[in-house]
Amino acid sequence: MEKKTFYITTPIYYPSDKLHIGHSYTTVAADAISRYKRLRGYDVMFLTGTDEHGQKIQRKAEAKGVTPKQYVDEIVAGIKELWKLMKITNDRFIRTTDKEHESAVQKIFKKLYDNGDIYKSEYEGWYCTPCESFWTKTQLKEDKCPDCGREVELTKEESYFFKLSKYQDRLIRHIEENPEFIQPVSRQNEMLNNFLRPGLEDLCVSRTTFNWGVPVTFDDKHVVYVWIDALSNYITALGYLSEDDSAYRRYWPADVHLVGKEIVRFHTIIWPAMLMALGEPLPKQVFGHGWLLLEGGKMSKSVGNVVDPVILINKYGLDAIRYFLLREVPFGSDGVFSNEALFQRMNSDLANDLGNLLSRTVAMIDKYFGGVLPEQQVEGEFDNELKAVYAQLPQKVEELMDKLQFSTALAEIWRAISRTNKYIDETMPWVLAKSEENKPRLAAVMYNLAESLRIVSILIQPFMPETPEKIWQQLGLTGSGALDWESAKQWGGYPRGTSVQKGDVIFPRIDIKKELEALEAMSPVQKKEPSDQQGSEKVQITIDDFAKLDLRAAKVLEAEKVEGSDKLLKLKVELGGEVRQVVSGIAKHYTPESLVGKTVILVANLKPVKLRGIESQGMILAASNDDTLVVATLDGPIDSGSKVS
Ligand code: MSP
């Protein structure tokens, strides 16, 4: 019989300089589902990738003095490394800079244009570059982006528009008739009440003020709006509109798009409307999960919360981190990531409950029976109760996994583990071991422990890629054929005559206080940044270090644009009778005229450099974040050349 297919996607990630544990949340969840579906016999297509175009990336690259492609290549390599480290089993990794993707996006855009769903007009409104989102004046919250709270830019340019409004009624109907389409339900109401019912406006889908994007084939001063480019990845990755679209025909429509809650809007309004316009079926489900907030936990208020996944995995092991991500917060809700909460889970659930059960079981089988259980076993009190828990467990886990309820599925498995630990207390093997006569009963108790662990080790495979194998080695199960998913549904699969092998403790207990201190020492300060909650390390310097800087008040005498660059201005500044030439990357934020006459702060002893062949003798100071830049000026009467300190 042909395998049933299952197509699951994560969003494609913006290349970000520093990935934090929150970034891995969607991907780890998608990986758990993919592993689970494969175990259940599905032909899974798990897609992830990177979203590499747009104004935000272009600006970041400019700020670093590299091309956008150079900028993204390095980061994307890091993202791929991280997924490898986290044992993510994606079948495909798409980059929006892949030639096949770019050409498919061009075909999609042209098809929508030819069908009359895209038309040319002029856009006038507000743009949030970090979110790459358009907003009308009335949608802004206190003149800021309603999604992220940051500054927006007034934008006026010739643009192509997509007839989003035309699809409003069909979208509402689709959502109402298909309650599974947007999950959890709360997000469904949010989309209907906040966006769809109040009315949709047509969407601006091309930009002309920068060029880091997919060019519109029939009007090449335009590049395709980055969200149109990005959302298309879900079908271009399968070869949609390419010579070989067999994967598209096999896997589309997607079974589930997993996305963070902040991008549900793009996936449940713009994306389905695009698909309707293309005449293609809609994905079966968009699941909007909550955020992992990265503030410190209660105890860790004074402690830097380490959120770098590579550090955490290398120190505490992959399975502990993956377990925590999937167990701690119900999928769909927000939750807090703190090192302290991670350590508590590691000690209680992993070391005490699961790790201990394995060590005790193997040690007892070794001690009482030399590692192999005898044939003669006698069932007794408590056995049926234990077996009843395991008889229901696989089905419960399946039901919960089918609803993406990872946390509850894990909680069910751990309930069974606790029940098994309680069974040890109830049956008291150390008492049974005292008399030869009780040996058959003791053997049955040991068998039931090993069998519980066999079932647990099968069921935890979607979540933990490393632990099951470690359990199998100690139970002597590797290669035994008693490990396929279906076999967890049948009590008694632990093969008779198997020899256990004592091994290392699979989850060592940790000293929480000591670990928190160790992490604090590694990362002096981790501060929350508004953009993506990344931590930034602060290095302290001495006053002597600071004194090495020669900062001077400098009066701007002349300013002009550097030819061939939309970023650089060439300034002539005066400092105490001396005139210097300075090249500064501020042209996007200041007109040359607006700077003349201002007194700025110059780093006067910076080694001269050439920018676009023009020597820059120093650097002027400015404050900036992603999209805003303000030059530091001195607004009182002060002679040029005065020292700034
Ligand atoms: N590029 C867009 C998606 C385009 S899809 C066609 C994007 N990228 S992102 O890098 O900002 O986010 C990727 C995923 O990471 C999103 O699902 C987002 O919700 C998730 N997360 C990033 N930080 C997170 C947390 N702190 N917690 C949970 N998930 C978070 O959006």
Side-chain angles (χ1 to χ4, degrees):
M1 202 176 74
E2 236 220 314
K3 276 186 173 183
K4 278 218 288 190
T5 61
F6 185 79
Y7 181 27
I8 181 165
T9 67
T10 72
I12 45 174
Y13 285 69
Y14 290 128
S16 156
D17 291 326
K18 200 160 191 292
L19 291 173
H20 57 68
I21 193 77
H23 283 122
S24 67
Y25 192 62
T26 327
T27 314
V28 168
D31 186 60
I33 284 293
S34 299
R35 285 172 180 267
Y36 161 71
K37 288 286 180 183
R38 286 189 203 106
L39 286 163
R40 296 211 54 199
Y42 283 77
D43 168 5
V44 173
M45 168 58 75
F46 167 14
L47 172 72
T48 188
T50 39
D51 183 358
E52 304 181 16
H53 290 128
Q55 194 164 4
K56 176 164 66 174
I57 300 288
Q58 179 159 340
R59 284 188 185 167
K60 283 192 177 171
E62 276 167 3
K64 285 208 156 178
V66 294
T67 65
K69 186 69 168 62
Q70 284 167 336
Y71 175 76
V72 293
D73 276 351
E74 199 185 319
I75 299 176
V76 171
I79 293 178
K80 286 186 170 174
E81 275 303 303
L82 177 63
W83 296 157
K84 219 158 104 193
L85 182 69
M86 300 195 87
K87 301 213 163 128
I88 301 299
T89 57
N90 55 297
D91 299 283
R92 206 47 196 91
F93 188 100
I94 188 169
R95 300 182 57 175
T96 53
T97 51
D98 290 341
K99 286 287 153 270
E100 303 76 33
H101 169 80
E102 292 186 344
S103 113
V105 168
Q106 289 180 322
K107 288 182 194 160
I108 290 173
F109 200 91
K110 180 77 168 45
K111 190 168 173 185
L112 295 174
Y113 180 73
D114 289 344
N115 289 351
D117 274 305
I118 283 182
Y119 61 92
K120 197 170 182 174
S121 180
E122 184 168 76
Y123 179 75
E124 188 169 1
W126 300 85
Y127 196 70
C128 172
T129 308
C131 293
E132 303 278 16
S133 287
F134 295 100
W135 298 106
T136 59
K137 178 83 182 150
T138 48
Q139 284 174 319
L140 299 179
K141 251 197 217 144
E142 291 167 2
D143 291 340
K144 302 266 167 56
C145 169
D147 267 0
C148 72
R150 280 172 288 192
E151 296 289 338
V152 286
E153 294 168 61
L154 186 59
T155 310
K156 186 174 175 181
E157 59 190 78
E158 176 190 286
S159 288
Y160 285 93
F161 280 79
F162 171 59
K163 287 187 181 164
L164 190 60
S165 57
K166 175 174 152 189
Y167 294 96
Q168 174 181 317
D169 295 341
R170 269 179 75 186
L171 283 168
I172 294 177
R173 222 176 318 129
H174 184 80
I175 294 171
E176 286 173 344
E177 287 169 6
N178 297 277
E180 290 300 310
F181 179 58
I182 307 180
Q183 283 295 318
V185 182
S186 55
R187 312 225 189 276
Q188 212 174 92
N189 300 334
E190 194 187 325
M191 291 305 120
L192 285 169
N193 297 337
N194 298 357
F195 297 101
L196 283 158
R197 290 194 180 118
L200 293 176
E201 289 185 20
D202 289 351
L203 177 73
C204 173
V205 288
S206 77
R207 304 290 310 272
T208 54
T209 48
F210 63 94
N211 57 14
W212 181 237
V214 177
V216 172
T217 42
F218 49 91
D219 195 349
D220 63 9
K221 75 176 196 268
H222 290 256
V223 292
V224 175
Y225 171 44
V226 63
W227 270 100
I228 298 291
D229 169 2
L231 288 162
S232 304
N233 94 89
Y234 299 129
I235 54 177
T236 66
L238 302 179
Y240 178 66
L241 295 186
S242 78
E243 266 172 31
D244 177 5
D245 66 353
S246 50
Y248 178 72
R249 280 182 281 113
R250 178 156 181 76
Y251 294 106
W252 190 259
D255 290 273
V256 56
H257 291 313
L258 278 194
V259 302
K261 63 178 183 181
E262 79 286 9
I263 53 174
V264 168
R265 184 169 65 91
F266 297 93
H267 285 82
T268 59
I269 297 177
I270 300 176
W271 178 226
M274 277 172 71
L275 289 164
M276 284 172 179
L278 290 167
E280 300 297 335
L282 305 194
K284 292 177 202 156
Q285 184 169 89
V286 175
F287 193 104
H289 66 71
W291 287 339
L292 209 57
L293 307 166
L294 306 179
E295 272 95 344
K298 271 184 266 117
M299 215 170 107
S300 29
K301 266 200 180 122
S302 58
V303 178
N305 201 25
V306 170
V307 295
D308 180 333
V310 178
I311 297 180
L312 294 170
I313 291 164
N314 288 337
K315 267 179 95 62
Y316 306 110
L318 175 61
D319 282 6
I321 305 302
R322 287 181 54 129
Y323 174 79
F324 180 81
L325 289 175
L326 296 166
R327 171 70 185 91
E328 185 70 2
V329 187
F331 204 59
S333 316
D334 288 346
V336 173
F337 177 88
S338 79
N339 296 145
E340 185 201 341
L342 165 70
F343 297 154
Q344 263 156 6
R345 285 266 174 214
M346 283 171 67
N347 275 355
S348 67
D349 302 11
L350 301 182
N352 279 5
D353 296 345
L354 177 58
N356 244 346
L357 176 60
L358 178 70
S359 308
R360 287 168 88 189
T361 302
V362 174
M364 289 191 288
I365 297 178
D366 196 52
K367 184 170 163 198
Y368 302 140
F369 298 103
V372 185
L373 295 176
E375 276 295 318
Q376 208 196 352
Q377 299 182 4
V378 173
E379 294 290 294
E381 203 188 351
F382 312 114
D383 293 8
N384 283 342
E385 216 183 297
L386 181 73
K387 288 181 196 173
V389 170
Y390 283 93
Q392 292 164 7
L393 183 63
Q395 202 190 333
K396 274 192 191 156
V397 171
E398 287 180 359
E399 277 164 18
L400 291 162
M401 289 301 277
D402 289 335
K403 288 193 267 176
L404 310 189
Q405 294 302 310
F406 310 100
S407 175
T408 332
L410 282 168
E412 283 295 336
I413 300 174
W414 256 255
R415 213 164 59 85
I417 293 173
S418 298
R419 184 65 193 81
T420 313
N421 276 318
K422 189 171 155 213
Y423 176 78
I424 301 182
D425 298 338
E426 290 166 340
T427 52
M428 294 188 285
W430 51 93
V431 175
L432 295 173
K434 282 189 182 141
S435 90
E436 205 43 43
E437 189 188 319
N438 286 331
K439 277 276 169 108
R441 173 65 189 136
L442 180 62
V445 169
M446 291 301 115
Y447 182 88
N448 291 340
L449 296 181
E451 176 60 359
S452 300
L453 278 162
R454 183 188 72 86
I455 297 177
V456 165
S457 70
I458 292 171
L459 299 181
I460 60 175
Q461 291 176 95
F463 313 92
M464 302 169 121
E466 294 176 343
T467 306
E469 180 67 39
K470 291 181 186 167
I471 298 178
W472 300 338
Q473 269 171 17
Q474 299 203 24
L475 289 179
L477 281 173
T478 310
S480 74
L483 296 169
D484 66 272
W485 184 269
E486 288 303 311
S487 80
K489 295 177 182 166
Q490 198 60 50
W491 184 268
Y494 184 69
R496 309 269 156 181
T498 303
S499 175
V500 303
Q501 322 243 306
K502 267 170 110 174
D504 294 337
V505 169
I506 56 170
F507 291 109
R509 272 190 74 82
I510 55 171
D511 180 334
I512 296 186
K513 196 161 165 273
K514 230 166 87 191
E515 284 305 325
L516 286 172
E517 280 164 11
L519 286 183
E520 184 181 26
M522 282 177 73
S523 139
V525 181
Q526 294 256 354
K527 200 177 116 251
K528 182 174 169 279
E529 282 181 3
S531 55
D532 47 7
Q533 303 188 338
Q534 276 167 201
S536 66
E537 293 196 4
K538 290 264 162 66
V539 177
Q540 294 192 325
I541 60 164
T542 64
I543 189 76
D544 292 337
D545 293 327
F546 181 72
K548 287 183 192 154
L549 289 176
D550 186 15
L551 301 179
R552 302 281 172 161
K555 188 160 179 208
V556 181
L557 303 176
E558 292 170 20
E560 63 182 275
K561 287 202 153 195
V562 170
E563 227 171 273
S565 163
D566 55 356
K567 201 182 137 214
L568 300 177
L569 288 186
K570 184 170 88 179
L571 311 177
K572 286 254 158 62
V573 299
E574 184 210 345
L575 52 163
E578 182 192 349
V579 176
R580 295 263 191 114
Q581 172 175 286
V582 178
V583 181
S584 182
I586 54 175
K588 286 237 163 83
H589 307 273
Y590 288 88
T591 58
E593 315 80 67
S594 66
L595 288 164
V596 175
K598 286 203 158 109
T599 302
V600 297
I601 300 175
L602 184 80
V603 185
N605 60 342
L606 197 67
K607 211 166 150 192
V609 287
K610 278 202 169 161
L611 294 168
R612 295 241 171 193
I614 306 168
E615 185 167 273
S616 181
Q617 304 153 332
M619 178 178 86
I620 65 168
L621 297 187
S624 66
N625 63 23
D626 282 348
D627 349 287
T628 315
L629 180 144
V630 178
V631 168
T633 54
L634 299 165
D635 68 355
I638 184 85
D639 289 341
S640 77
S642 302
K643 203 163 165 42
V644 179
S645 56

